[in-house]
Structures are given as structure tokens and as C-alpha cells.
Amino acid sequence: MKSYRVAIVGALGAVGQQMMKTLERSSLAVSSLKPLDIEQNAGKQVSFRNKMWTVETSGKGKFLDVDIALFSAGAEASEILAPIAVSEGAIVIDNSSQWRMTDGVPLVIPEVNPQALRSHKGLIANPNCSTIQMLVALKPLHAAFTIKRVVVSTYQAVSGSGAAAIRELREQSQSILDGKQPVANVYPHPIAFNAIPQIDVFLDNGYTKEEMKMVNETHKMLDPNILVSPTAVRIPVFRGHSESINLEFEKPFEIEQIVEIYKKAPGILLVDDPAQLAYPMAINSEDRYEVFVGRLRRDPTVQNGLNMWVVSDNLLKGAALNTVQIAEKLVEMDLISR
Amino acid sequence: MKSYRVAIVGALGAVGQQMMKTLERSSLAVSSLKPLDIEQNAGKQVSFRNKMWTVETSGKGKFLDVDIALFSAGAEASEILAPIAVSEGAIVIDNSSQWRMTDGVPLVIPEVNPQALRSHKGLIANPNCSTIQMLVALKPLHAAFTIKRVVVSTYQAVSGSGAAAIRELREQSQSILDGKQPVANVYPHPIAFNAIPQIDVFLDNGYTKEEMKMVNETHKMLDPNILVSPTAVRIPVFRGHSESINLEFEKPFEIEQIVEIYKKAPGILLVDDPAQLAYPMAINSEDRYEVFVGRLRRDPTVQNGLNMWVVSDNLLKGAALNTVQIAEKLVEMDLISR
């Protein structure tokens, strides 16, 4: 079995930490780990598979001895560093939004479109968290009944905005419980005990960038014919995005068929037992690899309509796990050597 | 000007307290206030318009000297007490779900269907909180462009479940911030830092009672031809329900027309300025009478489609305020004497 030299760019960030943890548990044979981060973190030690590794700064020359570079350093860093890493021979799997819609860069969820990996040129993009869990849930239904239209409203956790946002939710919550004014830095408004109907910046069409990611990435990965109408909302949850999804299929279906499909679908755990008050919830998704699906019920207001509730750990399947799974899939498909 | 003898049933509950506060600020001439509550609260004093009033227990004979009885004592109490109050000559405006769908009982939002009050027989029902704010927002658009279908996902505050739920969210939040296990009593699962896709009990069709209220009450009050596909979700917010609403109209529209309609619509405040990051939010709705509307944007995935975000204080327009406004409307329409 071949083993691989892996770099993690942004190793000490919220997602970077999860990447290391997920990589540690993965089947990937790692001969060396190179944790890269900003200058002030250089020299710190991280533990990986019972060995300590020293954090270095990123930059030119750092990828010459790297086979796979997992990037979670944000779009700006990725714009500069990813081409450097590719030119130095690494395969880059980038978690930022920088390259997702670039022609020729595969955007991949292993359960959805692994075949897209075949055409990679050294750079592969990891999709947006809210898109990943939605498409893992939609893919098997689309294959069976052909999805025409999706209306989705999200309930997104703060960890999607990084470690500072997690701290901010803690601090704001404590302030409010203590009867003090919450201080907002990461978000434009307090998120504690609130719902903010804005994620990422606004575009000219009145939608946010986060909302348009769900549209555009669905078209790139699953089917350009699926109509997606999104509303992305931040709520005071630490980890685990929830999504209320309304679907309209071309073909008729029975709920029992959907249940059977989900029982066999890869990466999905069906949690749908109203009698036991069992349905997917953010607090149960933490540290779990699955996309949880529940509250399956026919929508009688449209032909072949379905309502459902989909939850997943935004730091894992929504980010770190999917990145590592792409690396595993590249190995499995023998697409790693260049 | 006539003045009225008003009773408040459940005067010390979360909504009852808001009813007193709202009534105090209202234009209604109140000659006497009779606060009614459970036995253990009898004898307590409440302040209303600079006078103290003594809480009594509710029951037979208590409504003989009452013109208007505002009920917020839950469905079970209302089932027994409302007919007694009506038989003793009071006009009952009931905030519970007990009578909402009963034939012959008007279900009323003053901005939506005040004319339904004309046929009252002493008992008037106040609609469900999540329906009220939705229909205040939908009514003027329906009049202009005819709504065919609504897909709505709610983000509901805990205060809708009463004072105990407010305490539970506080206590659970503090436990989690302190690294302890949260204790759940009011809801079947912890609500702090979570999203629970269940409000009220499940029905045979897979929808919850809360969700079907939004369907049935829309049909009773606005138009039985409007198709409503709801998902009701509890989130860790103290006060203010938010709703992500997707609409499909029969007639074509321009966003500018919607803006003009909302600028003039009663009970509505348009907060929709993405450039200034301004949109409705739960934390800004507290103690406000308006239904806040924003994030207006065309939904290009369906003919004549619109997405919007609607927020209101669930204890005020969603409950106490609407109840008091019904009383005011009865006076205005001269429907109070029997």
C-alpha cells in the first residue's frame, strides 16, 4: 500500500483541527504530516497518529515534498497558495469558496459526483457546507424520481464562521444571561438568542452569496436543471446545520420508497420516528459523520411534493470530513499520482 | 364614550401579563379589571392604570359583571370556562387553540378579516402566533396578486410555550456554558444551542399540530384556496418568531409594487436594506407591535415567485396584542353590546 505525504494549510483553525482529527481516523496511509499555519503559530507542536509535528508557515517551496495538501485557510490565502502548491506537485483539496465555480476545477462530494475527480488537474474544490448535506440527501432521490425544484431554508451553526464565532456566541450568551449588552464582532448583529437572515455578503439580486452557492454548486455537482430557491439563516447553535427542504419531483413516489432508498443510501442516517419524538437535531449531529434525514412527509400542495429535515455536522461532512473523503476517493480511484 | 369591565383569565401567565400591559396602553376605556388565575395565585395584587386589582380564581359566577373576558389559560381551561363566561354575558376573546376551528366562532386578525366579527355569538378566537404574523404579511399581497401557494419554515421563540420555557432556555444555556448537561422538561429535547423540528404534537399525516394550524387557520381567515406547506421549528430565541416564506402568485408583480404595498399596509414595518445589513430580526421585534417584513427578493424558480422574511413579537401581535386589538375592533364596529 502506498502512503502519502500530507500537508494541512490552516491546521490550527476550526476546520483545520477537524481535518487532522478526521485524517487521523481515516484509512489514508500518511507517511508524513506537515501542519501549516500563519506566522504566529509557527513552531507550535501538534499530535497526529502518536507523533508530534511542528507547525510551519506556508509559502513557496513548502509543497515540494507534499502529495496531498488539504486547504482550509480561506479564499484569499487559497487564491495565492493553491496554485503554488499545485505547481510544486501537490494535489490540493481546497475547502474555501475560491475555486469552486472555476471551470476545470472539480467540485466534489464523494457520494454525489466522484466521477468528476477523473478530470482533476491538481486542484479539487470542497463544496460549501450547506450544499454538501443537502446534496447528499438529494442525490438518491434525484436518481429515483428526478427533482424539479427545491425550496430550502437553513438553520446554520456559528462554527461555520470559525473559532472566533464560537467564542462570540458563548460570550454573547453569557452577557445576555447576566443582563448585559452583547458585543458583536464576527457578525453584524448579535447572534445569541437571535436569528440572522444573512450569511456572507449580499449580491445584486437580493440573495446572499451563501444562498447563491447553494444554487450554483447544486447545478455544478448534481444537475443544472434543478431549480433551487434558498434562504440561508444563522441561528445560535454551535455545531450542526439544519435545513428545511421542500422538494418537487417529476415522478410520483411513495414515502415508503423514500424510506427504503435512505436506508441504503451512503452517508445517510434516517432518523424519522415521530411516535418516539425522534428526528434529526443539531445537538445530536456533533462529531458524527452522517447526514441525518427525517420529518419525511408528503407535501400535498404540489404534485409529487415532499418535505424533509436534514442535519449534519457542518465542520465534518460540511467541511473537514468531505475533504478527507475526497482524498480517500482519489486514492481509491487511483488518481493521486500525477 | 362607553367604558368596559374587562376580565383577564390567566392574568399571571406569560401572555396574560402582556395582555394587561397591552390593554393598559390601548385606547380601550376600562372601568374595572378582574384578573383571574389559578388558586395558588389568588389574593395577589396586580397594577393596572395606576390602581391595584386583586387576583381571583376563575369559575362560575365570575363573569356576571364582565363585558369583555380576554382568555389566555390554555385549551383545557378554555373548554370549560369560555362557555360559562359567555353564558354569564361576557364576550370572550380566547387565545387558546380550543375554539379556533369551531364553526360559528370567528377567528380574527383585525388587519385580515375584521368583518368576521359581525357574526360573533359571544366567543371569538385569537389565531395561532405563527399564523397571525404570516397572514398580516400575506393579506395585502393576496389582495393585489392572489397567492396560490406558500412554503413556510418557521424559527419560533420559546416564549410561545410560556414562562417555564423561558426559564428552561436560560437554565439550559447556562448549564451548557458551564460545561454541564442541560435538563429538558418543557420540551422533549434540550432547546439551548439546538433547533427542534417539532412544535406541538404529531398528527397522522406526519405534520405537527402547529404546522396544521398554519394551514387550517389560513384557510379559515384568508382564503381556502391558498395552498400552505409548513415546517415549524423551535429555536433558542426568547421572544420573536421568524419565518422564511416562499410565495407563488397568480398575477405577475414587481418588487417595487410589493414595497409600495408594504409601505402603506396596516401593522407592517418594512425593514429591507441589504446595503445597510438591515432586515427583520427577533431581537429587534421584542415589545414592538409591528410585523416586520424584509429580504424581499424574486424567486426565479417559479412563475411569479417571491421570497421574504417575516418577524414579529410572538407574545404581542402573536398573542396579547391581537387579542386586545380584537376587543378594540369590536368597540369600533359597535359589536360589544349583546
Coordinates of all heavy atoms in Angstrom, one line a residue, chain B residues 45-116:
Chain B
Q45 N -51.8 40.9 44.1 CA -52.2 42.2 43.6 C -51.5 42.5 42.3 O -50.3 42.2 42.1 CB -51.8 43.3 44.6 CG -52.4 43.2 46.0 CD -53.8 43.8 46.1 OE1 -54.0 44.9 45.7 NE2 -54.8 43.0 46.5
V46 N -52.3 43.0 41.3 CA -51.6 43.5 40.1 C -52.0 45.0 39.8 O -53.1 45.4 40.2 CB -52.1 42.6 38.9 CG1 -51.6 41.2 39.0 CG2 -53.6 42.7 38.6
S47 N -51.0 45.7 39.2 CA -51.2 47.1 39.0 C -51.8 47.3 37.6 O -51.3 46.6 36.6 CB -49.9 47.8 39.2 OG -50.0 49.1 38.5
F48 N -52.8 48.1 37.4 CA -53.3 48.4 36.1 C -53.8 49.8 36.1 O -54.7 50.2 36.9 CB -54.5 47.4 35.7 CG -55.1 47.6 34.4 CD1 -54.4 47.1 33.2 CD2 -56.2 48.4 34.2 CE1 -55.0 47.4 32.0 CE2 -56.8 48.6 33.0 CZ -56.2 48.1 31.8
R49 N -53.3 50.6 35.2 CA -53.7 52.0 35.1 C -53.7 52.7 36.4 O -54.7 53.3 36.8 CB -55.0 52.2 34.3 CG -54.8 51.8 32.8 CD -56.0 52.2 31.9 NE -55.7 51.9 30.5 CZ -56.7 51.8 29.6 NH1 -57.9 52.1 29.9 NH2 -56.4 51.5 28.4
N50 N -52.6 52.5 37.1 CA -52.4 53.2 38.4 C -53.3 52.8 39.5 O -53.6 53.6 40.5 CB -52.5 54.8 38.2 CG -51.4 55.3 37.4 OD1 -50.3 54.8 37.4 ND2 -51.7 56.2 36.5
K51 N -53.9 51.6 39.4 CA -54.7 51.1 40.5 C -54.3 49.7 40.8 O -53.9 49.0 39.8 CB -56.2 51.2 40.1 CG -57.1 52.1 41.0 CD -58.5 52.1 40.5 CE -59.4 51.4 41.5 NZ -60.8 51.6 41.2
M52 N -54.5 49.2 42.0 CA -54.2 47.8 42.3 C -55.5 47.0 42.2 O -56.6 47.4 42.6 CB -53.6 47.6 43.7 CG -52.2 48.4 43.8 SD -51.0 48.0 42.6 CE -50.5 46.3 43.1
W53 N -55.4 45.8 41.6 CA -56.5 44.9 41.5 C -56.1 43.5 42.0 O -55.0 43.1 41.9 CB -56.9 44.8 40.0 CG -57.1 46.1 39.3 CD1 -56.1 46.9 38.8 CD2 -58.3 46.8 39.2 NE1 -56.7 48.0 38.3 CE2 -58.0 48.0 38.5 CE3 -59.7 46.6 39.5 CZ2 -59.0 49.0 38.2 CZ3 -60.6 47.5 39.2 CH2 -60.3 48.7 38.5
T54 N -57.1 42.9 42.7 CA -56.8 41.6 43.4 C -57.1 40.4 42.5 O -58.2 40.3 41.9 CB -57.6 41.5 44.7 OG1 -57.3 42.6 45.5 CG2 -57.2 40.2 45.4
V55 N -56.1 39.5 42.4 CA -56.3 38.3 41.6 C -57.3 37.4 42.3 O -57.2 37.1 43.5 CB -55.0 37.5 41.4 CG1 -55.2 36.2 40.6 CG2 -54.0 38.4 40.6
E56 N -58.3 36.9 41.5 CA -59.3 35.9 42.0 C -59.2 34.6 41.2 O -58.6 34.6 40.1 CB -60.7 36.4 41.8 CG -61.0 37.8 42.5 CD -62.4 38.3 42.1 OE1 -63.3 37.5 42.0 OE2 -62.5 39.5 41.9
T57 N -59.7 33.5 41.8 CA -59.8 32.3 41.0 C -60.9 32.5 40.0 O -61.9 33.2 40.2 CB -60.1 31.1 41.8 OG1 -61.3 31.3 42.6 CG2 -58.9 30.8 42.8
S58 N -60.8 31.7 38.9 CA -61.9 31.7 37.9 C -62.9 30.7 38.2 O -62.7 29.8 39.0 CB -61.2 31.4 36.5 OG -62.0 32.0 35.5
G59 N -64.1 30.8 37.5 CA -65.2 29.8 37.8 C -66.5 30.4 37.5 O -66.7 31.5 37.1
K60 N -67.5 29.6 37.9 CA -68.9 30.1 37.7 C -69.2 31.3 38.5 O -68.8 31.5 39.6 CB -69.9 29.0 38.2 CG -70.4 28.1 37.0 CD -71.6 27.2 37.4 CE -71.9 26.3 36.3 NZ -72.5 25.1 36.8
G61 N -70.0 32.2 37.9 CA -70.4 33.4 38.6 C -69.4 34.6 38.6 O -69.7 35.7 38.9
K62 N -68.2 34.3 38.0 CA -67.2 35.3 38.0 C -67.3 36.3 36.8 O -66.6 37.3 36.7 CB -65.8 34.6 37.9 CG -65.4 33.8 39.1 CD -65.0 34.7 40.3 CE -64.6 33.8 41.4 NZ -63.9 34.5 42.5
F63 N -68.2 35.9 35.9 CA -68.3 36.8 34.6 C -69.6 37.5 34.5 O -69.8 38.2 33.5 CB -68.1 35.9 33.4 CG -66.8 35.1 33.4 CD1 -66.7 33.8 33.9 CD2 -65.6 35.7 32.9 CE1 -65.4 33.2 33.9 CE2 -64.4 35.1 32.9 CZ -64.3 33.8 33.4
L64 N -70.3 37.5 35.6 CA -71.6 38.2 35.6 C -71.5 39.7 35.5 O -72.3 40.4 34.9 CB -72.4 37.8 36.9 CG -72.9 36.3 36.9 CD1 -73.4 36.0 38.3 CD2 -74.0 36.1 35.9
D65 N -70.4 40.2 36.0 CA -70.2 41.7 35.9 C -69.0 42.0 35.0 O -68.3 43.0 35.2 CB -69.9 42.2 37.3 CG -68.7 41.5 38.0 OD1 -68.1 40.5 37.4 OD2 -68.3 41.9 39.1
V66 N -68.9 41.2 33.9 CA -67.8 41.4 33.0 C -68.4 41.6 31.6 O -69.2 40.9 31.1 CB -66.8 40.1 33.0 CG1 -65.9 40.2 31.8 CG2 -66.1 40.0 34.3
D67 N -67.8 42.6 30.9 CA -68.2 42.8 29.5 C -67.3 42.1 28.5 O -67.8 41.5 27.6 CB -68.2 44.3 29.2 CG -69.1 45.2 30.0 OD1 -70.3 44.8 30.1 OD2 -68.6 46.1 30.7
I68 N -66.0 42.1 28.8 CA -65.1 41.5 27.8 C -64.1 40.6 28.7 O -63.5 41.1 29.6 CB -64.2 42.6 27.1 CG1 -65.1 43.5 26.3 CG2 -63.2 41.9 26.2 CD1 -64.4 44.7 25.7
A69 N -64.0 39.4 28.3 CA -63.1 38.5 29.0 C -62.0 38.0 28.0 O -62.3 37.4 27.0 CB -63.8 37.2 29.6
L70 N -60.7 38.4 28.3 CA -59.6 38.0 27.5 C -59.0 36.8 28.1 O -58.6 36.8 29.3 CB -58.5 39.1 27.5 CG -59.0 40.5 27.1 CD1 -57.9 41.5 27.1 CD2 -59.7 40.5 25.7
F71 N -59.0 35.7 27.4 CA -58.6 34.4 27.9 C -57.2 34.0 27.4 O -56.9 34.0 26.2 CB -59.6 33.3 27.4 CG -60.7 33.0 28.3 CD1 -61.7 34.0 28.5 CD2 -60.9 31.7 28.8 CE1 -62.8 33.7 29.3 CE2 -62.0 31.4 29.6 CZ -63.0 32.4 29.9
S72 N -56.4 33.7 28.4 CA -55.1 33.0 28.0 C -54.7 32.0 29.0 O -53.8 32.1 29.8 CB -54.0 34.1 27.9 OG -52.8 33.4 27.5
A73 N -55.5 31.0 29.1 CA -55.4 30.0 30.2 C -55.2 28.6 29.6 O -55.3 27.6 30.3 CB -56.7 30.0 31.0
G74 N -55.0 28.5 28.3 CA -54.8 27.2 27.7 C -56.1 26.6 27.2 O -57.2 27.0 27.6
A75 N -56.0 25.5 26.4 CA -57.2 25.0 25.7 C -58.1 24.3 26.7 O -59.3 24.4 26.6 CB -56.7 24.0 24.6
E76 N -57.5 23.5 27.6 CA -58.4 22.8 28.6 C -59.2 23.7 29.4 O -60.4 23.5 29.6 CB -57.5 21.9 29.5 CG -57.0 20.6 28.7 CD -56.0 19.8 29.6 OE1 -56.4 19.5 30.8 OE2 -54.9 19.5 29.1
A77 N -58.6 24.7 30.0 CA -59.4 25.7 30.8 C -60.4 26.4 30.0 O -61.5 26.6 30.5 CB -58.4 26.7 31.5
S78 N -60.0 26.7 28.8 CA -60.9 27.4 27.9 C -62.2 26.6 27.5 O -63.3 27.2 27.4 CB -60.2 27.9 26.7 OG -61.0 28.6 25.8
E79 N -62.0 25.3 27.4 CA -63.1 24.5 27.0 C -64.2 24.5 28.1 O -65.4 24.6 27.7 CB -62.6 23.0 26.9 CG -63.7 22.1 26.4 CD -63.1 20.6 26.2 OE1 -62.0 20.4 26.6 OE2 -63.9 19.8 25.7
I80 N -63.8 24.6 29.3 CA -64.8 24.7 30.4 C -65.2 26.1 30.7 O -66.4 26.4 30.8 CB -64.1 24.1 31.7 CG1 -63.8 22.6 31.5 CG2 -65.1 24.2 32.9 CD1 -62.8 22.0 32.5
L81 N -64.3 27.0 30.8 CA -64.6 28.4 31.3 C -65.2 29.3 30.2 O -66.1 30.1 30.6 CB -63.3 29.0 31.8 CG -62.8 28.5 33.2 CD1 -61.5 29.1 33.5 CD2 -63.9 28.8 34.3
A82 N -64.9 29.1 29.0 CA -65.4 30.1 28.0 C -66.9 30.0 27.8 O -67.6 31.0 27.8 CB -64.7 29.8 26.6
P83 N -67.5 28.8 27.8 CA -68.9 28.7 27.7 C -69.6 29.3 28.9 O -70.7 30.0 28.8 CB -69.2 27.2 27.6 CG -68.0 26.6 27.1 CD -66.9 27.4 27.6
I84 N -69.0 29.1 30.1 CA -69.5 29.7 31.3 C -69.5 31.3 31.2 O -70.5 31.9 31.4 CB -68.7 29.3 32.5 CG1 -68.9 27.8 32.8 CG2 -69.1 30.1 33.8 CD1 -68.0 27.2 33.9
A85 N -68.4 31.8 30.8 CA -68.3 33.2 30.7 C -69.3 33.8 29.7 O -69.9 34.8 29.9 CB -66.8 33.6 30.3
V86 N -69.4 33.1 28.5 CA -70.4 33.6 27.5 C -71.8 33.5 28.1 O -72.6 34.5 27.9 CB -70.3 32.7 26.2 CG1 -71.4 33.1 25.3 CG2 -68.9 32.9 25.6
S87 N -72.1 32.4 28.8 CA -73.5 32.3 29.3 C -73.8 33.3 30.4 O -74.9 33.7 30.6 CB -73.7 30.9 29.9 OG -73.0 30.8 31.1
E88 N -72.7 33.8 31.0 CA -72.9 34.9 32.0 C -72.9 36.3 31.5 O -72.9 37.3 32.2 CB -71.8 34.7 33.1 CG -72.0 33.4 34.0 CD -71.0 33.2 35.1 OE1 -70.1 34.0 35.2 OE2 -71.2 32.2 35.8
G89 N -72.8 36.4 30.1 CA -72.9 37.6 29.5 C -71.6 38.3 29.0 O -71.7 39.4 28.4
A90 N -70.5 37.7 29.2 CA -69.3 38.3 28.7 C -69.0 38.0 27.3 O -69.4 36.9 26.8 CB -68.1 37.8 29.6
I91 N -68.3 38.8 26.6 CA -67.8 38.5 25.3 C -66.4 37.9 25.5 O -65.5 38.6 26.1 CB -67.7 39.7 24.3 CG1 -69.1 40.1 24.0 CG2 -66.9 39.4 23.1 CD1 -69.2 41.3 23.1
V92 N -66.1 36.7 25.1 CA -64.8 36.1 25.3 C -64.0 36.2 24.1 O -64.4 35.8 23.0 CB -65.0 34.6 25.7 CG1 -63.7 33.8 25.7 CG2 -65.8 34.4 27.0
I93 N -62.7 36.6 24.3 CA -61.7 36.6 23.2 C -60.7 35.6 23.7 O -59.9 35.9 24.7 CB -61.1 37.9 22.9 CG1 -62.3 38.9 22.6 CG2 -60.2 37.9 21.7 CD1 -61.8 40.4 22.5
D94 N -60.6 34.4 23.1 CA -59.8 33.3 23.6 C -58.5 33.1 22.8 O -58.5 32.9 21.6 CB -60.6 32.1 23.6 CG -59.9 30.9 24.1 OD1 -59.1 31.0 25.1 OD2 -60.0 29.8 23.6
N95 N -57.4 33.1 23.5 CA -56.1 33.0 22.9 C -55.7 31.5 22.7 O -54.6 31.2 22.2 CB -55.0 33.7 23.7 CG -53.7 33.8 23.0 OD1 -53.7 34.1 21.8 ND2 -52.6 33.5 23.7
S96 N -56.5 30.5 23.2 CA -56.1 29.1 23.1 C -56.5 28.6 21.7 O -57.2 29.2 20.9 CB -56.7 28.3 24.2 OG -58.0 27.9 23.8
S97 N -56.1 27.3 21.5 CA -56.5 26.7 20.2 C -57.8 26.0 20.3 O -58.3 25.5 19.3 CB -55.4 25.6 19.8 OG -55.4 24.6 20.8
Q98 N -58.5 26.1 21.4 CA -59.7 25.3 21.7 C -60.8 25.6 20.7 O -61.5 24.6 20.2 CB -60.2 25.6 23.1 CG -61.5 24.8 23.5 CD -61.2 23.3 23.5 OE1 -60.2 22.8 23.8 NE2 -62.3 22.6 23.0
W99 N -61.1 26.8 20.4 CA -62.3 27.1 19.6 C -62.0 27.6 18.2 O -62.9 28.0 17.4 CB -63.1 28.2 20.3 CG -63.4 27.9 21.7 CD1 -62.7 28.3 22.9 CD2 -64.4 27.0 22.2 NE1 -63.2 27.7 24.0 CE2 -64.3 26.9 23.6 CE3 -65.4 26.2 21.6 CZ2 -65.1 26.1 24.4 CZ3 -66.3 25.4 22.4 CH2 -66.1 25.4 23.8
R100 N -60.7 27.7 17.8 CA -60.3 28.4 16.6 C -61.0 27.8 15.3 O -61.4 28.5 14.5 CB -58.8 28.2 16.4 CG -58.0 29.2 17.3 CD -56.5 29.0 17.1 NE -55.8 29.7 18.1 CZ -54.6 29.4 18.5 NH1 -54.0 28.3 18.0 NH2 -54.0 30.1 19.5
M101 N -61.1 26.5 15.3 CA -61.7 25.9 14.1 C -63.2 25.5 14.2 O -63.8 24.9 13.3 CB -60.9 24.7 13.6 CG -59.4 25.0 13.3 SD -59.2 26.4 12.1 CE -60.0 25.6 10.6
T102 N -63.8 25.9 15.3 CA -65.2 25.6 15.6 C -66.1 26.5 14.7 O -65.9 27.7 14.6 CB -65.5 25.9 17.1 OG1 -64.7 25.1 17.9 CG2 -67.0 25.5 17.4
D103 N -67.0 25.8 14.0 CA -67.9 26.6 13.1 C -68.7 27.6 14.0 O -69.1 27.3 15.1 CB -68.9 25.6 12.5 CG -68.3 24.9 11.3 OD1 -67.3 25.4 10.7 OD2 -68.9 23.9 10.8
G104 N -68.9 28.8 13.4 CA -69.6 29.8 14.1 C -68.8 30.6 15.1 O -69.3 31.6 15.6
V105 N -67.6 30.2 15.3 CA -66.7 31.0 16.2 C -65.7 31.8 15.2 O -64.9 31.2 14.5 CB -65.8 30.1 17.1 CG1 -64.8 31.0 17.9 CG2 -66.7 29.4 18.1
P106 N -65.9 33.1 15.2 CA -65.0 33.9 14.3 C -63.5 33.8 14.8 O -63.2 33.8 16.0 CB -65.5 35.3 14.5 CG -66.8 35.3 15.2 CD -66.8 34.0 15.9
L107 N -62.6 33.6 13.9 CA -61.2 33.6 14.1 C -60.7 34.8 13.4 O -60.8 34.9 12.2 CB -60.6 32.3 13.5 CG -59.1 32.0 13.7 CD1 -58.8 31.7 15.1 CD2 -58.6 30.9 12.8
V108 N -60.0 35.7 14.2 CA -59.9 37.1 13.6 C -58.5 37.7 13.8 O -57.9 37.6 14.9 CB -61.0 38.0 14.2 CG1 -60.7 39.5 13.8 CG2 -62.3 37.6 13.8
I109 N -58.0 38.2 12.8 CA -56.9 39.2 12.8 C -57.4 40.5 12.3 O -57.9 40.5 11.1 CB -55.7 38.7 11.9 CG1 -55.2 37.3 12.3 CG2 -54.5 39.7 12.0 CD1 -54.3 36.7 11.2
P110 N -57.4 41.5 13.1 CA -58.1 42.8 12.7 C -57.6 43.3 11.3 O -58.5 43.8 10.5 CB -57.8 43.8 13.8 CG -57.7 42.9 15.0 CD -57.0 41.6 14.5
E111 N -56.4 43.1 11.0 CA -55.9 43.6 9.7 C -56.3 42.7 8.5 O -56.2 43.0 7.4 CB -54.3 43.6 9.6 CG -53.7 44.7 10.5 CD -53.4 44.1 11.9 OE1 -54.1 43.1 12.3 OE2 -52.6 44.7 12.6
V112 N -56.8 41.5 8.9 CA -57.0 40.5 7.8 C -58.5 40.3 7.6 O -59.0 40.4 6.4 CB -56.3 39.1 8.2 CG1 -56.7 38.0 7.2 CG2 -54.8 39.3 8.2
N113 N -59.3 40.0 8.6 CA -60.7 39.6 8.4 C -61.6 40.2 9.5 O -62.4 39.4 10.1 CB -60.9 38.1 8.3 CG -60.5 37.4 9.6 OD1 -59.7 37.9 10.3 ND2 -61.1 36.2 9.8
P114 N -61.6 41.5 9.7 CA -62.4 42.1 10.8 C -63.9 41.8 10.6 O -64.6 41.7 11.6 CB -62.1 43.6 10.7 CG -61.6 43.8 9.3 CD -60.9 42.5 8.9
Q115 N -64.3 41.7 9.3 CA -65.8 41.5 9.0 C -66.3 40.3 9.7 O -67.5 40.2 10.0 CB -66.0 41.6 7.5 CG -65.5 40.3 6.7 CD -64.0 40.2 6.6 OE1 -63.3 41.2 7.0 NE2 -63.5 39.1 6.2
A116 N -65.4 39.3 10.0 CA -65.9 38.0 10.6 C -66.4 38.3 12.0 O -67.2 37.4 12.5 CB -64.7 37.0 10.6

